Amino acid sequence: MALISCNECSKEVSQFAKVCQNCGNQVNKPAKGALEILFIILFFLYNIAMALLAVQFIEQHKDGALWFVATLSSISTFDYFGTFDPSLIFSAVFILFIWLIGAVILGLAALMLRRVK
């Protein structure tokens, strides 16, 4: 059994110990598991993909997106833009809803797979 020194108090502790017996400092941090790393990567890739989808949606429907932003900022939108397509608002809200639900599920999965002391 090899001994290593504690980073805080410099006392020798076992290489298999998780905490120092003298000061209670965490000596060996648990390594991240492959599944945890996978879910963290999936979380970031999912959010990047959804952001790109949202940008693409805005680019395809610039007039509708401007109407949506103007509605949120309380401008008299009917006078400013004329008519609008209500399906654009439904589509935008649906994309945001799917984004939120997916991010919460992947984030919670990554959090629950996290190893603790």
Side-chain angles (χ1 to χ4, degrees), residues 51-73:
L52 291 174
L53 178 68
V55 168
Q56 180 184 12
F57 178 79
I58 290 171
E59 286 294 321
Q60 288 178 354
H61 306 286
K62 285 184 181 178
D63 293 336
L66 288 174
W67 187 90
F68 185 67
V69 170
T71 302
L72 294 177
S73 63

Side-chain angles (χ1 to χ4, degrees), residues 64-115:
L66 288 174
W67 187 90
F68 185 67
V69 170
T71 302
L72 294 177
S73 63
S74 300
I75 296 174
S76 177
T77 55
F78 193 75
D79 295 337
Y80 190 72
F81 290 105
T83 60
F84 72 97
D85 185 6
S87 66
L88 291 177
I89 295 176
F90 175 76
S91 300
V93 170
F94 184 72
I95 288 172
L96 291 174
F97 178 74
I98 295 298
W99 189 351
L100 177 70
I101 295 299
V104 166
I105 290 171
L106 286 172
L108 286 176
L111 186 65
M112 290 178 10
L113 290 171
R114 187 179 60 143
R115 295 185 185 192

Side-chain angles (χ1 to χ4, degrees), residues 4-71:
I4 57 173
S5 65
C6 174
N7 295 335
E8 285 287 319
C9 65
S10 301
K11 297 278 185 178
E12 291 186 341
V13 294
S14 168
Q15 69 180 10
F16 301 111
K18 293 182 181 180
V19 294
C20 175
Q21 299 100 348
N22 187 42
C23 66
N25 183 41
Q26 186 176 0
V27 180
N28 291 325
K29 294 182 180 177
K32 291 187 177 191
L35 196 57
E36 180 184 4
I37 293 171
L38 175 70
F39 271 99
I40 290 171
I41 291 170
L42 283 175
F43 176 77
F44 284 111
L45 290 177
Y46 177 78
N47 282 303
I48 290 169
M50 289 303 293
L52 291 174
L53 178 68
V55 168
Q56 180 184 12
F57 178 79
I58 290 171
E59 286 294 321
Q60 288 178 354
H61 306 286
K62 285 184 181 178
D63 293 336
L66 288 174
W67 187 90
F68 185 67
V69 170
T71 302

